[in-house]
Amino acid sequence: MIEWWQYLPERIDPVAFTAGPFFVRWYALCFILGFLVMTGFLLFRSGRSGSAFDRETVWDAATVTFLGVLLGGRLGYALFYDQALFTSPRSLVFPVDAGTGSFIGIHGMSF
């Protein structure tokens, strides 16, 4: 007998909510929540006496980490799934098709 929970991933919508023409997916919310929790924890720790780092260092580290994850996810996607993106470096950054001008999105973080 097959249980209902075995088919649960097929029933889950990957889009959490829409904001106009943009779709916000569950994995994006997980990344954002993870960064907020990490930053909040480090800010809490930096406020304690004897901490090795201050609040400015925490914000700098969080910003660099966030940008590094976004850039690394995009480059990893291009390297493993779509090497043609390297022929047009503009397509690595901009979510618009150069030929048609239509919005195609930026992929890479879901993998």
Side-chain angles (χ1 to χ4, degrees):
M1 179 177 187
I2 298 176
E3 300 292 332
W4 67 272
W5 53 268
Q6 290 177 325
Y7 293 104
L8 190 59
E10 297 172 5
R11 297 183 187 139
I12 296 174
D13 186 9
V15 176
F17 63 90
T18 59
F22 299 104
F23 297 97
V24 179
R25 300 185 184 272
W26 286 109
Y27 61 83
L29 290 178
C30 289
F31 275 111
I32 292 168
L33 181 64
F35 279 110
L36 289 176
V37 168
M38 181 257 329
T39 304
F41 175 73
L42 290 176
L43 285 171
F44 171 74
R45 294 286 304 209
S46 69
R48 301 176 95 185
S49 63
S51 176
F53 44 86
D54 59 352
R55 291 183 177 271
E56 185 177 337
T57 305
V58 170
W59 285 113
D60 290 345
T63 303
V64 169
T65 303
F66 185 75
L67 293 175
V69 167
L70 288 178
L71 182 62
R74 184 63 176 157
L75 289 176
Y77 174 80
L79 181 66
F80 293 112
Y81 297 105
D82 193 4
Q83 292 85 13
L85 290 172
F86 289 116
T87 61
S88 172
R90 181 180 187 273
S91 64
L92 280 170
V93 179
F94 295 110
V96 178
D97 184 18
T100 63
S102 62
F103 179 77
I104 57 173
I106 295 178
H107 309 305
M109 296 304 295
S110 67
F111 298 104

